[in-house]
Amino acid sequence: MDAYPWLRRNPPRSVWIASEMRVRLIKSGIDKAGSLNALGRVLGYRSRNHPGWSVQQILLGEQGFPYERLVLLSQFLQIPMEEILKYEVPPEYVTPLNTRMALKEYGMMCYILR
């Protein structure tokens, strides 16, 4: 007997977005929401101390976008999901070098870890 049958029917889906588009989306979201934590709250993260932690992990390429959160970001930024999903890539295409270059390009050097 399967202990978690709902996982077979509805597998969790993470969407990995190419570094340049991912950084552009999150920068636009931060600009519109006002801060990383505010964007985290818009996307439904509810941590008291740091709701932007998961957004920061996505920004740095440490994890993919949960599909439901990507839909919320798409609605918040008024960008069609079809446009965003054009930039979906396999996880191995998201490299620290690509992310670092995209962060530099969008003036987000403060997120580059030393």
Side-chain angles (χ1 to χ4, degrees):
M1 176 153 213
D2 194 355
Y4 304 103
W6 64 88
L7 287 178
R8 251 185 313 114
R9 288 193 305 266
N10 299 314
R13 180 168 179 225
S14 285
V15 180
W16 294 84
I17 304 294
S19 295
E20 185 176 330
M21 180 61 162
R22 186 181 70 251
V23 171
R24 189 176 94 197
L25 285 171
I26 292 177
K27 180 172 180 7
S28 298
I30 290 170
D31 291 345
K32 187 170 181 179
S35 72
L36 184 68
N37 284 340
L39 179 60
R41 287 186 188 95
V42 166
L43 297 181
Y45 293 106
R46 298 291 176 223
S47 168
R48 286 184 183 187
N49 297 331
H50 194 8
W53 175 253
S54 292
V55 179
Q56 183 176 342
Q57 294 301 300
I58 294 167
L59 174 66
L60 296 176
E62 298 293 326
Q63 68 185 50
F65 269 103
Y67 186 79
E68 297 79 22
R69 312 279 186 182
L70 188 57
V71 169
L72 289 172
L73 182 62
S74 165
Q75 293 169 350
F76 181 65
L77 296 176
Q78 299 176 346
I79 298 173
M81 274 299 286
E82 296 79 28
E83 179 65 30
I84 294 171
L85 291 177
K86 288 180 187 177
Y87 295 92
E88 185 175 6
V89 296
E92 56 270 9
Y93 283 33
V94 177
T95 65
L97 179 61
N98 291 343
T99 299
R100 184 180 184 88
M101 290 175 16
L103 289 168
K104 277 185 178 180
E105 182 179 333
Y106 286 96
M108 299 181 76
M109 300 270 302
C110 60
Y111 291 102
I112 295 177
L113 301 176
R114 307 253 180 243

